[in-house]
Amino acid sequence: MDQPAKVTEKEARQVAEAAREQDWRKPSFAKELFLGRFRLDLIHPHPLPADEDAKRGEEFLAKLRDFCENRIDNARIEREARIPDETIRGLKELGALGMKIDTEYGGLGLTQVYYNKALAMVGSANPAVGALLSAHQSIGVPQPLKTFGTKEQKQRFLPRCATTDITAFLLTEPDVGSDPARMATSAVPEGDEYVLDGVKLWTTNGVVADLLVVMARVPASEGHKGGITAFVVEAGSEGVTVENRNAFMGLRGLENGVTRFHRVRVPAANRIGPEGSGLRIALTTLNTGRLSLPALCTGAGKWCLKIGREWGAVREQWGRPVARHEAVGSKLAFIAATTFALEAVLDLSSQMADEDRNDIRIEAALAKLYASEMGSLMADELLQIRGGRGYETAESLAARGERAVPAEQVLRDLRINRIFEGSTEIMHLLIAREAVDAHLKVAGDLIDPEKSLSEKARAGAKAGGFYARWLPKLVAGKGQVPVSYAEFHPKGCPDLSGHLRFVERNSRKLARSTFYAMSRWQGRMETKQGFLGRIVDIGAELFAMSAACVRAELLRRTEEHGREAYELADAFCSQARVRVEELFGRLWTNTDELDRQVVKGVLDGSYTWLEEGIVDQSGDAPWIADAAAGPSQREDVRRRLP
């Protein structure tokens, strides 16, 4: 294995750009939203699963609920820091490993909607069990094979994945995170095989996995295009060593480790797709795979609401239940309204994924970003509502005779979601790139400093035509017409039409702000990460508001809780509007430039005097462990399940 490649910023961008899907062959609600076009028709009326899919899904959820209530012991998993063998065996017998795998391969064939409902339920019982199932099916072997595998590969591997074999996805390396251009793990062709050498870090499920999806760099040679490529690897192959089971602040049952490959021979028949398509496969897999995290966050939100409601009603201070005091009640209102919105975003995105009529790459990314941030906030607010009992462990509470509420555990467990499958910062950049795609297609050469004058002239003419048609449409719209979206103000329910008009107006304002920023900063736009992050956060709030309103109307038409749904949607949208207004204000009034100056001083050592008077107990070991090629010098700690 080579050491991580030394690449320039431009080269890293080129690798990432080559991996992303270039075209938009299907409509996208979120893409249109960022362009100032509020296409409510793409999400309303809210799509619904087919009756047969719903029946099959509900039947499985009933079995799963019984399993979660009686065979998942959260306290034991937290105490022992592992999921018991009998729990994993029970999940296999239940068919939970094959929830998303087609019935022809022995799976349950659940839709994305019901798969996510199942993850939310399992995650509420124990998040580590939810993470095991999610990593196995959302990003492990089944999902990339479903989209990119050959018929022979599906027949060989999917029946195993559906019934007996746990899988994992291996991309990250000790010195390579979201910058795959520096990937060092190699796959060298030798006859009809590839020889893998390298080290992979944070391999969720890797400690117990039977099958692995491994990303490795194939060197270009005669007959081999080369590039980052995906392989299915048998975890028990000679030369595969799990060198460490990692431990974290949360998700104590997570089977996550460090895996070394030394001269591991993989048949060419196990390659997924052509050489060089690995990153595209990974990104495409994540388009829907990312929806598993919003599912887990939604389940956690529901649990936070239940605990907050029950505790807020029985705990009294100054003659009243604490939830009746505004300072605490506002936190409970935030949890209730946000949980409604997260479920709305999740169900809408999942149903769109099932229908496959829309391109949901931005919707799924927004759902992951928004749910992971809001999920952490809700857990933090619940801990505050619980006070000292929130900070106390469930085990300690039980030992002194009180209900074993694991509020601090949920806060710890949820925190990783802001990092898993693309950190918030990376998600901001990824979504921002997609949001400005239309602009770069018409004006990319115009702001590229390396393009010639003639190329810039052609780009200018092209951009002029686009903006002459587009900009006038951002001046006025339905959001300024008082009677617009009147169907969202039914008799006896709060008025949601005003919130949708707010979304429409601010969608256009968002597009104008993006255009102004591109005009102002041009090629330097990509360096304005604070600005881009706020643009994306505004889009996330507008998307969530839209989903909440559409879900409320769906529930009004189809269920008995329509008025209550309208009340929650109204509360959420009112809260979101405050956040949107603040974010717009911070687009142009912020401390970004001052922060950059301070960071320069910090890194230059100008403020080291501020660090005096402390003791650093982290030691002097290297910041990044050595991952040089070669045979493993450590014991294999892979856990072999019965």
Side-chain angles (χ1 to χ4, degrees), residues 459-476:
K462 182 179 179 182
F466 171 78
Y467 289 120
R469 295 187 301 273
W470 178 66
L471 286 172
K473 297 177 182 178
L474 302 182
V475 176

Side-chain angles (χ1 to χ4, degrees), residues 98-418:
M99 287 187 285
K100 281 191 69 181
I101 298 174
D102 291 341
T103 54
E104 66 177 296
Y105 301 112
L108 299 180
L110 297 188
T111 63
Q112 186 74 36
V113 168
Y114 277 95
Y115 169 66
N116 284 334
K117 288 181 183 295
L119 286 182
M121 184 181 295
V122 173
S124 69
N126 179 263
V129 179
L132 180 143
L133 293 175
S134 170
H136 165 66
Q137 290 172 93
S138 297
I139 57 175
V141 172
Q143 189 63 33
L145 281 192
K146 177 181 178 181
T147 308
F148 297 97
T150 65
K151 182 178 181 180
E152 189 272 339
Q153 288 174 333
K154 293 175 183 178
Q155 291 172 339
R156 282 175 57 207
F157 294 120
L158 290 184
R160 293 169 56 184
C161 297
T163 55
T164 59
D165 288 15
I166 294 173
T167 72
F169 174 77
L170 279 60
L171 172 64
T172 304
E173 299 178 0
D175 198 25
V176 180
S178 297
D179 183 10
R182 302 177 62 248
M183 184 177 293
T185 299
S186 62
V188 179
E190 285 191 10
D192 59 356
E193 296 179 318
Y194 290 83
V195 180
L196 266 63
D197 283 281
V199 178
K200 294 294 185 179
L201 176 63
W202 297 324
T203 61
T204 298
N205 286 0
V207 180
V208 296
D210 304 286
L211 290 172
L212 314 170
V213 176
V214 181
M215 297 292 167
R217 185 183 299 279
V218 177
S221 62
E222 185 176 351
H224 292 276
K225 175 186 176 182
I228 297 174
T229 306
F231 299 90
V232 177
V233 179
E234 298 279 356
S237 299
E238 183 178 354
V240 178
T241 305
V242 179
E243 296 190 327
N244 195 66
R245 182 187 187 275
N246 302 323
F248 304 97
M249 67 178 278
L251 294 181
R252 289 175 55 79
L254 195 69
E255 298 291 352
N256 179 294
V258 177
T259 302
R260 178 180 292 271
F261 300 91
H262 175 62
R263 303 289 298 169
V264 178
R265 293 191 169 274
V266 180
N270 285 23
R271 188 188 70 219
I272 307 175
E275 290 181 357
S277 63
L279 283 185
R280 184 170 65 87
I281 290 172
L283 291 177
T284 303
T285 297
L286 285 172
N287 280 344
T288 53
R290 284 196 176 99
L291 291 176
S292 62
L293 293 186
L296 296 170
C297 292
T298 299
K302 289 172 176 283
W303 182 85
C304 288
L305 178 60
K306 180 179 185 296
I307 297 300
R309 172 180 58 81
E310 294 176 351
W311 171 250
V314 301
R315 173 61 165 167
E316 291 192 359
Q317 292 283 277
W318 299 295
R320 286 193 294 173
V322 292
R324 298 292 182 183
H325 292 283
E326 186 175 289
V328 174
S330 64
K331 299 180 186 301
L332 196 56
F334 167 75
I335 293 173
T338 304
T339 297
F340 178 83
L342 291 195
E343 187 166 42
V345 167
L346 175 67
D347 277 8
L348 178 61
S349 300
S350 299
Q351 187 59 43
M352 288 197 293
D354 285 330
E355 290 190 339
D356 201 29
R357 288 189 297 110
N358 296 329
D359 187 324
I360 66 160
R361 72 183 90 159
I362 300 183
E363 285 85 347
L366 286 173
K368 187 274 176 189
L369 167 71
Y370 195 71
S372 61
E373 290 291 324
M374 289 303 192
S376 289
L377 283 175
M378 287 191 293
D380 190 64
E381 293 288 43
L382 174 67
L383 191 147
Q384 192 71 17
I385 291 172
R386 286 276 291 161
R389 288 174 172 83
Y391 195 68
E392 190 174 1
T393 67
E395 184 178 33
S396 177
L397 289 164
R400 59 185 186 79
E402 292 194 359
R403 184 176 297 189
V405 178
E408 59 84 30
Q409 178 195 336
V410 169
L411 180 61
R412 289 186 287 106
D413 288 343
L414 282 176
R415 182 58 181 83
I416 187 58
N417 292 328
R418 296 172 60 195

Side-chain angles (χ1 to χ4, degrees), residues 50-96:
D51 290 344
E52 181 58 33
D53 290 335
K55 180 175 181 293
R56 184 167 64 250
E58 293 295 341
E59 289 174 351
F60 176 72
L61 289 181
K63 297 176 184 176
L64 183 64
R65 173 173 289 279
D66 179 70
F67 183 89
C68 290
E69 290 177 343
N70 297 296
R71 299 182 64 182
I72 295 180
D73 188 339
N74 177 70
R76 179 184 175 185
I77 294 171
E78 185 72 2
R79 183 173 61 251
E80 297 179 358
R82 62 184 277 159
I83 302 171
D85 289 353
E86 58 266 31
T87 301
I88 296 177
R89 184 165 54 247
L91 290 170
K92 294 179 180 180
E93 294 169 354
L94 191 64

